[in-house]
Amino acid sequence: MPEPSPAAVDVVLPCLNEAAALPWVLARIPPHWRAIVVDNGSSDGSADIAGAHGATVVHEPRRGFGAACDTGLRAATADIVCFCDCDASLDPGLLPALVREVALGRAELALGRRRPTGRGVWPVHARVGNLALSRMVRSRTGLRLRDLGPMRAARREALLGLGLTDRRSGYPLEMVVRAADAGWRVRETDVPYLPRAGRSKVTGTWRGTWQAVRDMRAVLALQPPVPDRRNVP
C-alpha cells in the first residue's frame, strides 16, 4: 500500500488559550498537511494567531476536549486524520511516523507513546495515573499499551464509524476502547514529551484531574457492543 500523498492528512489541534505555543506548533506541521485549530473558547487571541499562521480555524463553543476533537474530526476532509495537543509538549513534525503505520496497513490506530525529555516534564502523579489507566485498559480490552497520549493517527471515516460520544476528558480513552472493541490493530511509537507551555487544563488543576478521572471511569464502564448474530449461520 502506498504512503499517503502530502495533501491527504489533516491535523486536528484542540485549542484553549494556547497563544504562546501556537507559532511553534504550527511551524512544525509537515509541509502541505492542513492544520485545523479548534478554538474552544480562548480569551487570549489564539484563534487570530492560528489564522495568521495559516491554520484553518473552527470554533467549538461547548467546553471540553472531546467536543473540540469531534468538531475538528468533522471539519477534516482528508483520508487520514491526526490529533495532537496544541501546548508545544508534542512535536507535530513527528506525526509522519504515526501516519505511516496507518497508511501502510500496519495499524488502524497509531498512538504516540510519550517519553519525557527531562525531570519535571511529566508530573509524577500524572505518570502514575497514566500507568494505572493503561492497566485498566488492558483489563478491559486486552490491549497492552504503555501510554494513552493525545498524539495519534487514524482514517477519518473509520473514526467516525466508532460513534464516540464523550465530549470531555474521556474522548482519547473512548477512542482506544472502541477501537479495541472493533478489532482494530493499535500500535505505539515513541515520541519525545517536551515541557508544555502554560498549565495543563487536566492535570494542572484539582478540578480538571477530578473531572478527567470521572470521565475515564465512565468510559471504562462501557460494555462492548453485542454482536448481531441474526445472519450468522
Side-chain angles (χ1 to χ4, degrees):
M1 183 181 298
E3 295 198 33
S5 62
V9 179
D10 285 337
V11 183
V12 174
L13 299 160
C15 177
L16 176 58
N17 294 328
E18 303 291 4
L22 273 168
W24 183 87
V25 170
L26 294 174
R28 302 293 298 170
I29 298 293
H32 307 297
W33 289 17
R34 183 169 65 138
I36 302 176
V37 173
V38 185
D39 188 72
N40 202 204
S42 298
S43 59
D44 65 350
S46 288
D48 292 337
I49 292 172
H53 284 78
T56 296
V57 179
V58 296
H59 297 271
E60 174 47 72
R62 297 171 299 166
R63 283 292 179 90
F65 184 79
C69 287
D70 181 70
T71 294
L73 176 61
R74 295 179 188 280
T77 56
D79 176 34
I80 295 178
V81 175
C82 298
F83 296 85
C84 187
D85 273 357
C86 206
D87 58 11
S89 64
L90 294 165
D91 183 354
L94 301 177
L95 283 169
L98 276 66
V99 168
R100 192 172 299 115
E101 295 296 304
V102 176
L104 297 180
R106 293 194 286 250
E108 282 75 48
L109 177 61
L111 305 175
R113 181 199 178 193
R114 293 170 291 183
R115 304 303 298 267
T117 57
R119 295 183 62 183
V121 172
W122 199 354
V124 173
H125 70 278
R127 295 180 68 175
V128 171
N130 186 72
L131 178 61
L133 188 59
S134 297
R135 289 176 175 171
M136 286 188 284
V137 168
R138 181 185 304 180
S139 176
R140 164 64 174 78
T141 68
L143 292 176
R144 294 181 173 273
L145 301 177
R146 294 166 292 180
D147 187 19
L148 295 168
M151 179 179 275
R152 49 192 61 192
R155 295 193 183 274
R156 178 180 181 274
E157 292 301 321
L159 282 173
L160 289 171
L162 291 179
L164 305 182
T165 59
D166 190 282
R167 295 295 179 263
R168 296 195 299 191
S169 303
Y171 184 90
L173 175 60
E174 186 184 9
M175 184 185 295
V176 172
V177 170
R178 287 311 190 197
D181 289 345
W184 288 19
R185 290 164 297 174
V186 182
R187 297 187 63 167
E188 291 182 307
T189 298
D190 286 355
V191 294
Y193 194 41
L194 310 170
R196 59 163 291 129
R199 186 174 64 172
S200 170
K201 281 76 174 180
V202 178
T203 58
T205 67
W206 282 107
R207 179 181 180 183
T209 301
W210 176 81
Q211 180 175 294
V213 169
R214 185 181 63 178
D215 293 344
M216 292 177 185
R217 281 179 175 172
V219 169
L220 288 170
L222 294 172
Q223 295 301 310
V226 177
D228 186 348
R229 301 186 181 279
R230 289 174 296 178
N231 296 319
V232 177

